[in-house]
Amino acid sequence: MSNYTMIKEIKEYARINDVPIMQDEGIDFLTTFILKNQTTRVLEVGTAIGYSAIMMALAHPKLKVVTIERDEQRYLEALKNVKKFGLEDRITLLFKDALDVNLHEKFDLIFLDGAKGQNINFFEHFERNLDEGGYIITDNISFHGYVEKDESEIKSRNLRGLVRKIKAYIEYLKTNPNYITTFYDKGDGISVTQRKEG
Ligand code: SAH
Ligand code: MG
């Protein structure tokens, strides 16, 4: 089976099972970023079924990903998918809560795509693993457009709480003196944060 057909199958599985994988525009952005920056060491928070990790690995032949997932069913599905692509040597899957994972290695890209209300915690937990000049990319900064909406338009209390947390994260990025962040209106909203030199 071709990579193209296998990717289509993963996307179909995600659609049927409501797995929130990255949108096409977001994936294009991420893979273009990887090529432009020659990114080779990636840490991903939120594997889901392995789609974004596989797409990143396919984008650059030398790229390696360590990716973390806390949901067992998704982790097992990701394991299966990574094997299908023969990417076991380049994609390392960890079945854990990301905040319980302590790594010593450095990465040139940390991709945050886990629980949307936890981004500040993920950021502070993993910034020690960011190489000098490395980037932290965060997905779903716009959260289906809710972040741009007036709060009164959001009926669900849970959703309002989540949107507030995403806004707090955006504020955190904007005001963090050690980093420079650019926000992109791509896919579901993506931020690219670079550590300042020196
Ligand atoms: N990056 C994937 C989509 C991830 S969806 C892709 O685009 O293909 C977000 C995933 O993050 C979910 O599967 C959820 O179980 C996982 N997640 C959320 N919080 C987490 C945490 N604290 N640790 C590990 N995984 C987490
Ligand atoms: Mg996402």
Side-chain angles (χ1 to χ4, degrees):
M1 219 191 289
S2 72
N3 280 358
Y4 177 76
T5 311
M6 292 191 294
I7 289 290
K8 261 180 69 174
E9 281 189 0
I10 294 181
K11 286 165 107 172
E12 187 60 10
Y13 177 99
R15 194 181 62 76
I16 293 167
N17 296 283
D18 278 322
V19 182
I21 62 169
M22 241 190 159
Q23 299 177 8
D24 289 347
E25 213 183 48
I27 283 289
D28 286 347
F29 181 89
L30 197 58
T31 52
T32 304
F33 178 94
I34 283 167
L35 283 178
K36 192 172 138 231
N37 293 285
Q38 289 296 302
T39 307
T40 56
R41 295 159 300 159
V42 182
L43 172 65
E44 176 182 64
V45 173
T47 316
I49 56 174
Y51 172 67
S52 51
I54 289 168
M55 292 302 277
M56 288 191 276
L58 293 178
H60 193 301
K62 288 213 166 75
L63 181 141
K64 289 191 171 186
V65 190
V66 175
T67 179
I68 314 167
E69 175 57 54
R70 68 178 174 190
D71 179 276
E72 185 167 23
Q73 201 189 338
R74 287 183 179 175
Y75 161 78
L76 291 172
E77 190 65 25
L79 209 60
K80 226 164 67 187
N81 286 330
V82 166
K83 280 200 186 123
K84 268 193 206 163
F85 281 84
L87 288 169
E88 304 97 306
D89 53 335
R90 292 203 285 130
I91 300 179
T92 304
L93 297 146
L94 304 178
F95 171 43
K96 259 181 174 279
D97 190 299
L99 295 174
D100 294 330
V101 174
N102 294 297
L103 300 166
H104 300 289
E105 59 206 288
K106 301 267 186 193
F107 298 89
D108 43 29
L109 172 61
I110 297 178
F111 176 47
L112 300 183
D113 196 17
K116 304 309 153 197
Q118 294 262 28
N119 278 332
I120 296 181
N121 295 336
F122 294 145
F123 191 104
E124 294 193 336
H125 185 72
F126 289 114
E127 63 181 328
R128 72 190 81 141
N129 297 102
L130 190 64
D131 211 348
E132 225 175 288
Y135 295 89
I136 297 179
I137 293 187
T138 311
D139 190 31
N140 309 100
I141 279 297
S142 152
F143 205 66
H144 321 303
Y146 283 115
V147 171
E148 290 79 20
K149 273 191 190 151
D150 193 84
E151 248 188 46
S152 62
E153 286 178 72
I154 306 171
K155 300 276 174 280
S156 143
R157 195 164 167 272
N158 279 348
L159 187 57
R160 263 201 316 272
L162 192 55
V163 166
R164 267 187 214 148
K165 283 188 178 158
I166 297 174
K167 284 182 176 164
Y169 179 62
I170 292 171
E171 204 45 38
Y172 171 85
L173 293 177
K174 283 183 178 167
T175 55
N176 193 320
N178 304 320
Y179 296 86
I180 294 275
T181 299
T182 313
F183 297 88
Y184 295 90
D185 185 15
K186 295 280 177 202
D188 196 25
I190 293 176
S191 61
V192 177
T193 303
Q194 186 175 30
R195 194 202 291 275
K196 286 184 190 164
E197 303 285 328

